[in-house]
Every structure is written in structure tokens, then in C-alpha cells.
Amino acid sequence: STKIKSEARELVESFPITNENYPLAIESLTERYGRKELLIDFYVRELLKLVLNNATKKKQDSLSSLYNKLSTQLRALSSLGVTTDQCGVILYPLVESSLPTHILRSFERQRKNIDSEQSISTLDAIVSFLKSEVQSEEKIKLSRSEILPYERECKHLAESQSTLPSAAELFIQESRDTCAFCFKVHANRFCKRAFFIPLEEKIAIIKKERIVPCLLG
């Protein structure tokens, strides 16, 4: 940590700034904060945090986030010599307890096949299974992200088409409109006066009133 007034900072600043003191400062930091047993304890506690979060949190972390956290702690422990061969029996319950119930059910259903196909420890098997689940989830999200815009467009088109009036509705509406030629209540196509209006005048009325030609009969 390099926070102001932190113990690590004070330890480093206790050495005069010289080239000779640099390895001494590193050695002191390693002795104080880099002890193997302390680091192992830290990463095991991080696994325990995941277990507690799974038990107490109302909203769980995403599967990919959980996998990343688990992988980080297990890799760190492996680098410190806590391998799955040596401590898998101890670490497995922690990993198992940190996972959602539906993932555990899926794993147990496929566990026999995994054990028969791969000669790996149970801890490695469940981590490998979790990785495959994350990859499957990412593929599904990708496919949905491509389909959703198309679905929205189709839905919008269907809604817009559903608002178009039917032929019967147009006929009823037309029969209630005021005639553009004689201003009486009937459809333009049935106007007797329109037969006696000169063509040029009739065209002018059509343009002015924006009458749809097909409604003229």
C-alpha cells in the first residue's frame, strides 16, 4: 500500500534514498508483508468472502465476475504452492459454497461424465465446468444482442401496421365526411354536383382538399 501515513510507506521512507538501500527496502517489505503464510491466509479469506457473499447477498454477482474472482484466488494460491493436488480437498468446499445453486445442480448432473472423461481433481473439474458455463452465457448474450434489434424493428413494424385503418373503417369514415364539392354530408364519390363541375375546377378542389383519388370512385 502507498497510502499517506501507511505502515509500508513509513517502512520504505525509513531508508535513506540510495541505490544500496533499494534492495534492503525490498527485503524489509518482503519480510513484513510478503510472508508466504500471510499471503496464503489472505487468499483463503478472499475465498471465504465469496462464500459469505453467496450466502448473504440478495443480488448475486454475475457468473463471469464470480469465475474471475475464483480464478484469481486459486491462481494466487497455486503460485504460493497451494496446489489443487495438495489442498484440493480443503479448497473444494470453499469454491462449491461460493457458487449459485443452479450451477451446482448442473455440475452434479454432469459430474459422472466429467470424471469419466477427464482424470482431474474435483476442484479442477468444477472450475473447468464453471468456465464452460461462463463461455456459454457469453455466447447467448452475444446472440441475443444481435437478435434483439431485429425483434424490436419487427415489433415496431407490426404495431405501425396494426394502426392502419381497414377498408371498412375507411368507408365508414368517408361516409361521415363533408363533401368537398357541395359541402353536404356524404362521400365525395357520391356527389351529384361534382359531375357538373369543370375538370380544371375539380382538379383544383382535389389538390386544395388533398383528396385521395381512389376515394373519388
Side-chain angles (χ1 to χ4, degrees), residues 50-61:
L50 295 178
V51 175
L52 292 174
N53 287 340
N54 185 43
T56 58
K57 266 189 177 181
K58 292 183 179 180
K59 186 177 180 181
Q60 303 296 328
D61 292 334

Side-chain angles (χ1 to χ4, degrees), residues 10 27 54 91 94 108 113 137 153 175 200:
E10 290 177 356
E27 184 180 350
N54 185 43
L91 295 176
L94 296 177
E108 289 300 328
N113 295 332
E137 190 177 75
E153 184 65 25
S175 64
E200 293 79 5

Side-chain angles (χ1 to χ4, degrees), residues 34 66 128 130 157 175 206:
L66 181 58
S128 177
L130 184 58
L157 181 61
S175 64
I206 290 172

Side-chain angles (χ1 to χ4, degrees), residues 14 22 28 46 69 92 104 111 129 132 151 190:
S14 67
Y22 180 78
S28 295
E46 289 298 304
K69 291 176 181 177
Y92 175 76
L104 291 177
R111 187 169 180 175
F129 175 78
S132 65
E151 288 182 343
F190 300 129

Side-chain angles (χ1 to χ4, degrees), residues 50-147:
L50 295 178
V51 175
L52 292 174
N53 287 340
N54 185 43
T56 58
K57 266 189 177 181
K58 292 183 179 180
K59 186 177 180 181
Q60 303 296 328
D61 292 334
S62 67
L63 199 59
S64 59
S65 175
L66 181 58
Y67 171 73
N68 290 338
K69 291 176 181 177
L70 279 172
S71 298
T72 298
Q73 314 313 330
L74 292 174
R75 277 196 301 267
L77 288 169
S78 179
S79 68
L80 294 168
V82 184
T83 62
T84 55
D85 293 335
Q86 297 174 346
C87 304
V89 177
I90 299 172
L91 295 176
Y92 175 76
L94 296 177
V95 173
E96 184 184 45
S97 299
S98 67
L99 298 177
T101 305
H102 70 278
I103 294 295
L104 291 177
R105 287 200 186 100
S106 298
F107 174 68
E108 289 300 328
R109 282 195 294 267
Q110 300 184 34
R111 187 169 180 175
K112 290 182 179 179
N113 295 332
I114 295 173
D115 291 341
S116 61
E117 293 175 1
Q118 306 175 34
S119 56
I120 57 177
S121 67
T122 307
L123 178 59
D124 288 334
I126 197 169
V127 173
S128 177
F129 175 78
L130 184 58
K131 180 181 179 180
S132 65
E133 288 294 299
V134 170
Q135 291 173 341
S136 298
E137 190 177 75
E138 289 172 348
K139 287 181 181 178
I140 293 171
K141 284 182 179 179
L142 180 62
S143 64
R144 294 303 299 167
S145 66
E146 294 175 350
I147 293 173

Side-chain angles (χ1 to χ4, degrees), residues 2-79:
T2 57
K3 292 182 180 179
I4 297 175
K5 295 183 180 180
S6 68
E7 291 183 1
R9 187 186 185 95
E10 290 177 356
L11 178 61
V12 172
E13 290 178 346
S14 67
F15 290 89
I17 304 175
T18 63
N19 291 336
E20 292 77 13
N21 284 331
Y22 180 78
L24 297 177
I26 296 297
E27 184 180 350
S28 295
L29 287 172
T30 303
E31 289 177 355
R32 180 75 66 85
Y33 303 105
R35 285 181 293 169
K36 185 176 178 180
E37 64 274 14
L38 286 179
L39 293 174
I40 291 173
D41 182 67
F42 171 79
Y43 290 117
V44 170
R45 289 179 185 275
E46 289 298 304
L47 284 175
L48 284 172
K49 284 183 183 179
L50 295 178
V51 175
L52 292 174
N53 287 340
N54 185 43
T56 58
K57 266 189 177 181
K58 292 183 179 180
K59 186 177 180 181
Q60 303 296 328
D61 292 334
S62 67
L63 199 59
S64 59
S65 175
L66 181 58
Y67 171 73
N68 290 338
K69 291 176 181 177
L70 279 172
S71 298
T72 298
Q73 314 313 330
L74 292 174
R75 277 196 301 267
L77 288 169
S78 179
S79 68

